Amino acid sequence: MSLIVLVLVTGVIFLAADAVMLPKVVKPLFERHLGDAILRSPRPAPAVLFYFLYVAGMVWFVGWPALQEGAPAMALLNGALLGLRAYGAYELVSWTVMRDWHPRMVAVDMAWGTTLTAVSISAGVLAALAIS
């Protein structure tokens, strides 16, 4: 039961926060620098695949070990490191190879990914610990 709570709480928080941040902050920032290279609306299949794989990775690599240790602080720290690494890989490679990629996009998205991952997975661990 605690694994189900971990997955559900982590996923809901991650999706809800991203649903607010992406259209309000990230998309306008990326449109400012990338112009018409940005789609008007995202492609649903790759988006679903990303969220499924990323939340599964958060749970496998960060949440489940922290839950077994009873250590939500470990989830917060390791979630931040996972978010920094994952979002950093995407942003830094994109900045390396894409002509119009901007350092502000890199900084905002890396900070967001770090924070979002850390908060989502640690909240999931806290919720799972609360029911066990």
Side-chain angles (χ1 to χ4, degrees):
M1 181 66 168
S2 59
L3 179 59
I4 293 169
V5 170
L6 172 63
V7 170
L8 289 176
V9 170
T10 299
V12 166
I13 291 172
F14 192 91
L15 288 169
D18 227 18
V20 172
M21 182 72 161
L22 289 178
K24 301 273 187 212
V25 177
V26 175
K27 187 175 181 184
L29 174 63
F30 278 46
E31 284 176 333
R32 191 172 320 128
H33 296 288
L34 301 178
D36 62 358
I38 299 292
L39 295 172
R40 288 188 183 165
S41 60
R43 294 181 178 112
V48 168
L49 186 58
F50 164 76
Y51 286 111
F52 175 79
L53 291 172
Y54 195 75
V55 171
M58 289 167 60
V59 169
W60 180 264
F61 292 112
V62 176
W64 185 245
L67 181 60
Q68 292 192 314
E69 293 290 323
M74 183 172 103
L76 186 69
L77 173 62
N78 289 339
L81 293 172
L82 177 65
L84 179 63
R85 186 256 168 263
Y87 280 69
Y90 169 75
E91 285 297 333
L92 294 172
V93 168
S94 295
W95 190 19
T96 299
V97 300
M98 304 288 254
R99 179 183 57 248
D100 295 327
W101 218 258
H102 193 273
R104 181 164 296 184
M105 294 164 43
V106 174
V108 167
D109 206 32
M110 284 177 66
W112 176 241
T114 300
T115 303
L116 178 60
T117 304
V119 169
S120 299
I121 196 64
S122 61
V125 169
L126 284 168
L129 285 171
I131 63 119
S132 47

